[in-house]
């Protein structure tokens, strides 16, 4: 009986021993291949039991072994980790399976091949135009849209003055309408309308700068309020001039009043309302002291600081002279004047020079002291100065070249003044701001076509 039992069990025992040897070899092979990949904490050869391995487990190990020999270690690794419970942790990253041999390989896009972390944001980069966070400040619903519409209105009026100066003369002034021909109207009106159109172009650019301030919730900031004051007082004086020349001097027509009011009344009302909402009419002695110190005792001297401070003074003096003695300044600039209509246009230009342009140049001088000329709003304001300077240089320069100075002693001074405005605007536009650089994982910078598009 014992012999019979031994004869029957011996083949079964031999088969079990062979299976145990094969399982042990598979475990050694897996440990030698997978151990460098998954590390000692993920797979321990000692943890594989030398006995009691089922046929299914042996078949699974043999299948993984074949996958390793076929050059697919990641598939075998993932299956082993799933079988051992390593993928139960959802925080552990999933390793995608490589493509099969012979299958087409899909390469990632060029933008995905670079690891571009977001730039390190410093406190200076988080600061807005006046050095405060963008989320702070005053937000007035609809202010951005209103300033955009106001900029378009002033732009349309400026283009009309530049394109049709004689038609504007006929509409604005009495005894200038038909049957008079354009040849009967003095060329002085053409020059004055074009200069006034250049001033309105600068006003349109200033409205766009205020639109940017409204988008950034900076309507209660001193620099933005200063620009609003420049537009407000410029428009207020223009409206007063219209009323005076219509009611008392009687040189303006009703059409001239309506056209002028259509442009200047919104320019007056919009900053007036926003300044009232933001507390912009509160003036303190400290603010006046800071203004005088920035003008005459700046913290440091540079070319832009000097130019903007000088231009602020020159604009104020020139605008005041235009308003108080219009006929004399016309004689000193053009050599003659044509009466009250020309004086009206000259005073309108003086209102812009006395209020709007000093507000712009002083704001730029303040930005230059802070080292922020490279930001958006100062660059926009410099564009406005550049446009106006070009128009003035063309008008005054052509007059200076054709007729000389003679008794027009103020003409070369005005020409030099606008040359300084042109230089200051170009220098201000060339200033660059601080931008944090991107860090690229590959150690080199990608091509320009592969860089992310930055916001303007």
């Amino acid at each position: 009986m014992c012999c019979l039992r031994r004869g029957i069990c011996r083949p079964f025992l031999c088969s079990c021993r062979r299976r145990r040897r094969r399982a042990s070899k598979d475990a050694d092979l897996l440990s030698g291949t997978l151990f460098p990949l998954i590390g000692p904490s993920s797979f321990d050869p000692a943890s594989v039991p030398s006995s009691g391995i089922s046929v299914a487990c042996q078949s699974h190990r043999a299948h993984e072994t074949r996958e390793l020999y076929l050059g697919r270690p990641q598939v075998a690794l993932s299956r082993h980790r799933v079988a051992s419970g390593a993928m139960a942790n959802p925080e552990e990253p999933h390793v995608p399976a490589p493509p099969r041999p012979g299958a087409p390989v899909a390469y990632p896009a060029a933008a995905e091949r670079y690891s571009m972390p977001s730039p390190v944001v410093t406190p200076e980069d988080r600061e807005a135009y006046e050095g405060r966070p963008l989320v702070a400040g005053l937000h007035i619903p609809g202010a951005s849209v209103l300033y955009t519409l106001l900029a378009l209105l002033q732009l349309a009026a400026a283009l009309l003055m530049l394109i049709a100066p004689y038609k504007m003369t006929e509409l604005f002034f009495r005894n200038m309408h038909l049957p008079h021909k354009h040849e009967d109207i003095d060329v002085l009106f053409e020059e004055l309308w074009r200069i006034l159109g250049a001033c309105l172009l600068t006003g349109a650019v200033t409205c766009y700068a205020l639109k940017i301030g409204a988008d950034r919730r900076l309507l209660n900031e001193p620099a933005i309020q200063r620009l609003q004051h420049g537009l407000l007082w410029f428009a207020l004086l223009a409206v007063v001039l219209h009323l005076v020349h219509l009611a008392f001097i009687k040189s303006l027509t009703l059409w001239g009043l309506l056209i002028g009011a259509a442009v200047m009344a919104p320019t007056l009302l919009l900053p007036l309302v926003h300044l009232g909402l933001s507390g912009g009419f509160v003036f303190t002695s400290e603010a006046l002291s800071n203004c005088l110190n920035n003008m005459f005792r700046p913290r440091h001297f540079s070319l832009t600081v000097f130019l903007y401070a000088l231009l602020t003074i020159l604009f104020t003096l020139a605008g005041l002279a235009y308003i108080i003695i219009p006929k004399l300044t016309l004689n000193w600039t053009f050599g003659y004047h044509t009466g009250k209509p020309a004086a009206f246009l000259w005073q309108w230009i003086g209102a812009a020079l006395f209020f709007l342009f000093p507000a712009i140049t002083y704001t730029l001088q303040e930005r230059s002291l802070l080292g922020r000329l490279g930001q958006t709003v100062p660059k926009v304001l410099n564009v406005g100065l550049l446009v106006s300077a070009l128009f003035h240089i063309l008008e005054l320069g052509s007059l200076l070249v054709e007729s000389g100075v003679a008794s027009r002693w103020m003409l070369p001074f005005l020409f030099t003044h606008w040359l300084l405005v042109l230089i200051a605007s170009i220098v201000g536009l060339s200033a660059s701001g601080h931008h944090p650089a991107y860090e690229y994982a590959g150690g080199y910078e990608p091509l320009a076509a592969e860089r992310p598009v930055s916001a303007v």
Side-chain angles (χ1 to χ4, degrees):
M1 189 66 180
C2 182
C3 293
L4 181 59
R5 184 181 303 173
R6 290 179 180 177
I8 295 174
C9 296
R10 186 179 298 276
F12 180 77
L13 294 175
C14 292
S15 177
C16 290
R17 291 192 185 100
R18 285 195 298 272
R19 292 175 181 174
R20 291 172 183 173
R21 293 193 198 100
R22 189 180 304 166
S24 178
K25 291 180 180 179
D26 292 343
D28 294 337
L29 178 60
L30 286 172
S31 65
T33 308
L34 296 177
F35 185 75
L37 296 176
I38 62 179
S41 61
S42 302
F43 179 74
D44 189 2
S47 63
V48 180
S50 60
S51 61
I53 302 178
S54 62
V55 178
C57 184
Q58 295 172 12
S59 175
H60 178 70
R61 292 180 182 275
H63 184 64
E64 288 182 344
T65 305
R66 286 195 298 273
E67 288 179 342
L68 289 170
Y69 281 132
L70 290 175
R72 292 183 287 178
Q74 298 292 339
V75 177
L77 172 61
S78 61
R79 290 179 178 175
H80 173 76
R81 297 175 74 178
V82 170
S84 62
M87 294 298 292
N89 186 7
E91 298 180 357
E92 194 167 348
H94 172 66
V95 180
R100 294 179 179 274
V105 181
Y107 291 97
E112 298 178 0
R113 293 200 298 267
Y114 300 100
S115 175
M116 292 186 298
S118 58
V120 180
V121 181
T122 61
E124 294 181 358
D125 300 322
R126 284 194 299 264
E127 289 179 351
Y129 179 69
E130 281 294 327
R132 301 183 184 180
L134 292 177
V135 296
L138 176 65
H139 173 64
I140 300 177
S144 176
V145 178
L146 291 176
Y147 278 118
T148 303
L149 295 177
L150 183 58
L152 293 176
L153 177 63
Q154 293 200 6
L155 177 62
L159 292 178
L160 188 61
M161 295 175 184
L162 295 172
I163 295 173
Y166 292 104
K167 189 63 178 178
M168 294 292 293
T169 304
E170 293 175 358
L171 290 174
F172 262 75
F173 304 111
R174 298 178 182 180
N175 302 324
M176 291 290 184
H177 52 79
L178 296 177
H180 286 280
K181 298 180 181 180
H182 291 171
E183 290 80 6
D184 297 332
I185 300 176
D186 198 282
V187 71
L188 178 62
F189 288 99
E190 179 183 358
E191 297 173 348
L192 293 178
W193 278 116
R194 289 179 177 174
I195 292 176
L196 181 59
C199 295
L200 288 185
L201 286 177
T202 304
V205 175
T206 306
C207 292
Y208 182 73
L210 293 176
K211 182 258 182 190
I212 297 174
D215 289 337
R216 298 181 178 182
R217 301 185 176 185
L218 298 173
L219 291 178
N220 61 336
E221 299 298 329
I224 300 298
Q225 289 178 343
R226 188 181 305 116
L227 296 176
Q228 289 175 329
H229 275 288
L231 281 176
L232 167 66
W233 296 107
F234 162 53
L236 179 60
L237 184 54
V239 170
V240 171
L241 287 174
H242 280 73
L243 295 175
V244 170
H245 278 264
L246 176 67
F248 300 100
I249 302 179
K250 299 187 183 300
S251 61
L252 202 66
T253 63
L254 183 61
W255 277 110
L257 176 65
L258 293 177
I259 296 173
V263 179
M264 291 292 104
T267 309
L268 169 64
L269 293 177
L270 186 59
L272 177 66
V273 173
H274 290 170
L275 285 171
L277 293 175
S278 62
F281 291 106
V282 179
F283 298 98
T284 61
S285 58
E286 182 181 0
L288 179 61
S289 175
N290 291 334
C291 175
L292 295 177
N293 288 332
N294 290 335
M295 287 291 300
F296 302 104
R297 297 177 57 188
R299 290 176 293 179
H300 63 86
F301 284 94
S302 64
L303 178 61
T304 54
V305 171
F306 172 75
L307 284 177
Y308 289 132
L310 178 63
L311 291 176
T312 303
I313 299 173
L314 293 179
F315 272 127
T316 305
L317 295 177
L320 187 62
Y322 285 15
I323 296 170
I324 296 177
I325 46 175
K327 293 183 179 181
L328 283 178
T329 50
L330 279 172
N331 286 330
W332 294 339
T333 305
F334 297 95
Y336 67 101
H337 68 87
T338 57
K340 299 174 183 177
F344 166 77
L345 294 178
W346 197 238
Q347 286 176 320
W348 196 352
I349 297 171
L353 266 63
F354 187 71
F355 290 111
L356 180 60
F357 284 93
I360 294 175
T361 52
Y362 179 76
T363 301
L364 290 173
Q365 194 232 9
E366 186 184 53
R367 296 300 95 191
S368 179
L369 286 173
L370 297 175
R372 294 179 181 175
L373 280 180
Q375 293 182 341
T376 305
V377 172
K379 284 188 176 295
V380 170
L381 295 178
N382 275 309
V383 169
L385 290 180
L386 177 65
V387 170
S388 188
L390 288 175
F391 275 95
H392 278 81
I393 289 173
L394 288 176
E395 293 294 334
L396 300 178
S398 61
L399 184 63
L400 186 62
V401 170
E402 292 175 0
S403 304
V405 178
S407 61
R408 296 170 296 191
W409 62 269
M410 193 174 179
L411 179 60
F413 288 100
L414 290 177
F415 183 77
T416 306
H417 166 73
W418 287 106
L419 277 179
L420 291 177
V421 175
L422 180 65
I423 294 172
S425 60
I426 293 175
V427 174
L429 286 172
S430 64
S432 60
H434 170 71
H435 300 286
Y438 284 98
E439 297 179 1
Y440 298 96
Y444 58 90
E445 186 176 359
L447 299 176
E450 297 174 336
R451 297 174 186 169
V453 180
S454 59
V456 178

